[in-house]
Amino acid sequence: MCNFAFNEGFTILMQDFLATFSQAFQLIFSFDKDLYEIIGLSLSVTFAAVLISCIIGFPLGAILAIGKFKGRNFIRLIVTAFMGLPPVVVGLVVYLILSANGPLGVLQLLYTPTAMIIAQVILVTPIIAALSSQVIIDLNEEYDELLRSLGLSSFAKMKTLLFDARYSLLTASLAGLGRAMAEVGAVIIVGGNINHVTRMMTTAIALETSRGELALALGLGTVLILLTISINAALMMIHSNARKNAYA
Amino acid sequence: MPMPSANIIEVNNLCYNANEKNAVGDALPLLNDISFKLVTKDSSKITAIMGPNGAGKSLLLRNLAGLLTPNSGEILWHGTPNINAKELAIVFQKPILLRRSVRANLEHALLAFKTPKDQLHNGTEQLLELGQLTDLANRPARILSGGEQQRLAIVRALAGDPKILLLDEATASLDPQTTFLIEKIITDTSKNDTKIIMVTHDLSQAKRMADDVVFINAGTICEHTSTKQFLSKPKSQEAKNYICGKLTL
């Protein structure tokens, strides 16, 4: 009797699950406008944040790796520690800075994609900088005598190291991208999850799940996972090709 | 500007210690009171630094290249302690090549030596030709064979037209054909007003190429003499043992 009830419950659950999945795929393949608007915003915010983080993080990582100045180890420690910054805390700090009474309130950036980009840059930059720093340290161990014998300036040395570490730095940026793509805590605070303005995949999944709109949530989740896999696969291919040519 | 034929390199009382300490707590001297003078003239274009493993040959070369700082003593180049990086080049036993193509490795060195952009292409082609690497120009440098990598490292070192070229066992573990090619590049370079200082274990190579030999044992110079004299009538017992292949402990 009990066994029968369990089987029946499991069958209903599976049917619900399959129906939700089917609806999710319908949304994806019918090119649902709302869904693709959310995907588009998510990608633009995430890529903008990762790009800015790379522009800041790569040179910062190189400076922390080979720069000779007082407090370098302390700054490295802080940057490495900031890899694990709690997103909600970052969201709260950015919210306070951008809110009407905050120091940058006059810019009226709160609840805009720009605010979400700022929050993600704060979260992602330490990851990219810390990982880049380690990559550059390792490469510098190999290149140091050559670069010194060429009499390169610190700036030229950093340029050489950053260029030659380019494929390993892709992995660092990938780690940052992973963090940005999956981020929900900070962007929901500073973006507000406003429909057609600041709704991203992760914030929409959280909202739709709480509203019981599982099809849209699942559709977004599927797209999010597929995108993450595709980006990782593309970068892995680039890295593997570079390794074959001994460029990585 | 023509180089004066006086002492090109003067090493005075150079000492280099490792960070490790011996049983009584003194720093281990790896190079001890090294002094010698090298001149550039027809009879001394190539100097070989020889000595058994662990004698301090590579350490001395790295001190000369400015890659290590001596604990005491001085190295003078034409009487001054400073030398322009462009005037001095070093080739390591294991070539350090950038993760780039052969051409890009040479271009990087040429740019490092402030070669004007309009001369970059010609300069690269000349170096490729010198190292017989033209056919490999677009290949990734790090997948070349050991001999090709060493040829690249040597011609790259010549990118700045150095006045002094330091070679740290540049032909170790290379086949005779590649060794011959590299020796030819080195000899041709020496004929072009470049002083060559090469670390080698190969007595026949020293005989073929070097005009004089600085022999080091246990971080100390045992003798500095002409190659002919060194090979036929070495003065020190350490050098005699080295030439005869006797192990000195």
Side-chain angles (χ1 to χ4, degrees):
Chain A
M1 183 71 180
C2 185
N3 215 1
F4 173 75
F6 173 77
N7 282 342
E8 195 180 27
F10 182 73
T11 308
I12 292 167
L13 184 71
M14 281 307 291
Q15 280 170 352
D16 280 355
F17 190 70
L18 287 174
T20 311
F21 240 112
S22 160
Q23 281 176 12
F25 277 102
Q26 271 174 24
L27 279 172
I28 294 169
F29 292 111
S30 66
F31 297 101
D32 182 82
K33 198 181 155 215
D34 285 351
L35 181 83
Y36 280 90
E37 186 184 63
I38 294 169
I39 294 169
L41 180 69
S42 293
L43 289 179
S44 54
V45 166
T46 303
F47 281 119
V50 173
L51 183 68
I52 295 168
S53 295
C54 287
I55 291 169
I56 302 168
F58 290 159
L60 178 63
I63 291 167
L64 292 176
I66 62 166
K68 290 186 177 104
F69 55 92
K70 215 174 164 186
R72 184 182 69 130
N73 285 339
F74 178 72
I75 298 173
R76 270 199 78 200
L77 176 78
I78 297 295
V79 170
T80 308
F82 276 17
M83 286 172 80
L85 273 177
V88 284
V89 176
V90 171
L92 181 62
V93 171
V94 175
Y95 177 89
L96 291 172
I97 291 169
L98 297 180
S99 61
N101 295 329
L104 298 179
V106 59
L107 298 175
Q108 296 189 319
L109 291 175
L110 201 60
Y111 303 131
T112 66
T114 308
M116 297 194 293
I117 292 171
I118 293 169
Q120 288 207 342
V121 166
I122 294 170
L123 284 168
V124 173
T125 301
I127 295 173
I128 292 180
L131 295 178
S132 307
S133 179
Q134 196 51 54
V135 165
I136 299 295
I137 286 172
D138 293 342
L139 189 61
N140 188 45
E141 270 179 27
E142 186 189 328
Y143 280 13
D144 183 51
E145 287 195 323
L146 169 71
L147 300 182
R148 282 168 58 207
S149 72
L150 290 171
L152 293 183
S153 66
S154 295
F155 180 70
K157 203 171 163 183
M158 275 179 210
K159 253 175 68 180
T160 302
L161 288 166
L162 282 171
F163 183 80
D164 276 40
R166 58 201 179 279
Y167 293 105
S168 301
L169 293 177
L170 264 184
T171 310
S173 62
L174 196 65
L177 188 71
R179 168 84 177 221
M181 289 275 269
E183 213 291 305
V184 60
V187 289
I188 210 163
I189 294 175
V190 298
N193 200 15
I194 302 165
N195 203 10
H196 304 298
V197 182
T198 56
R199 186 158 296 172
M200 297 199 11
M201 280 193 276
T202 49
T203 58
I205 289 169
L207 177 73
E208 300 303 334
T209 307
S210 68
R211 284 167 51 185
E213 293 286 341
L214 296 183
L216 183 57
L218 206 54
L220 285 164
T222 308
V223 171
L224 189 59
I225 290 169
L226 287 175
L227 277 171
T228 308
I229 292 172
S230 309
I231 292 165
N232 274 276
L235 292 182
M236 270 175 71
M237 272 170 61
I238 294 170
H239 203 268
S240 151
N241 195 38
R243 190 172 281 276
K244 209 164 66 185
N245 287 323
Y247 284 150
Chain B
M1 201 169 80
M3 300 283 288
S5 63
N7 296 335
I8 187 170
I9 304 166
E10 194 175 332
V11 178
N12 295 322
N13 311 107
L14 184 141
C15 292
Y16 182 82
N17 300 330
N19 288 329
E20 299 101 62
K21 303 209 165 153
N22 63 14
V24 289
D26 295 331
L28 276 170
L30 297 178
L31 293 176
N32 193 17
D33 200 24
I34 298 268
S35 296
F36 62 90
K37 290 172 186 172
L38 299 179
V39 293
T40 174
K41 56 184 181 185
D42 287 345
S43 60
S44 178
K45 284 183 176 293
I46 301 180
T47 298
I49 298 177
M50 303 192 80
N53 285 329
K57 306 179 295 295
S58 297
L59 270 182
L60 174 59
L61 212 66
R62 278 171 165 74
N63 272 278
L64 292 177
L67 299 174
L68 293 174
T69 310
N71 296 85
S72 62
E74 59 178 4
I75 300 166
L76 302 175
W77 308 93
H78 302 296
T80 68
N82 301 317
I83 184 167
N84 188 334
K86 196 182 166 181
E87 288 185 21
L88 181 74
I90 182 167
V91 176
F92 304 98
Q93 183 179 355
K94 189 173 179 292
I96 305 172
L97 300 176
L98 301 180
R99 289 165 160 80
R100 306 177 187 194
S101 69
V102 171
R103 182 186 297 280
N105 265 273
L106 295 175
E107 284 173 350
H108 178 268
L110 285 165
L111 287 172
F113 294 127
K114 313 270 186 268
T115 304
K117 290 241 164 122
D118 57 334
Q119 292 171 25
L120 195 60
H121 180 74
N122 279 349
T124 309
E125 293 302 323
Q126 278 173 16
L127 291 172
L128 286 169
E129 206 175 311
L130 181 64
Q132 297 187 11
L133 294 163
T134 308
D135 294 342
L136 304 170
N138 297 318
R139 294 270 299 274
R142 291 156 67 101
I143 61 166
L144 300 179
S145 70
E148 289 162 348
Q149 289 195 2
Q150 196 59 285
R151 263 149 57 199
L152 173 58
I154 287 179
V155 293
R156 183 182 58 187
L158 300 176
D161 196 14
K163 297 295 170 206
I164 299 146
L165 179 61
L166 308 173
L167 301 159
D168 189 2
E169 296 189 51
T171 57
S173 67
L174 297 181
D175 63 60
Q177 196 186 359
T178 311
T179 301
F180 173 76
L181 184 57
I182 288 175
E183 284 182 1
K184 188 175 180 307
I185 296 172
I186 296 167
T187 312
D188 290 348
T189 305
S190 73
K191 287 175 188 160
N192 199 22
D193 269 347
T194 299
K195 172 76 185 174
I196 311 284
I197 302 171
M198 54 185 282
V199 167
T200 181
H201 274 297
D202 188 340
L203 291 169
S204 56
Q205 185 176 56
K207 189 178 179 182
R208 281 194 303 274
M209 299 179 69
D211 301 303
D212 55 336
V213 173
V214 175
F215 182 76
I216 304 181
N217 188 51
T220 311
I221 290 193
C222 298
E223 59 185 277
H224 179 196
T225 182
S226 70
T227 308
K228 197 174 171 188
Q229 168 131 14
F230 175 77
L231 293 172
S232 57
K233 291 176 196 162
K235 288 178 211 157
S236 64
Q237 189 56 45
E238 291 88 348
K240 284 177 191 163
N241 291 344
Y242 178 77
I243 292 167
C244 295
K246 285 185 190 165
L247 191 62
T248 309
L249 295 172

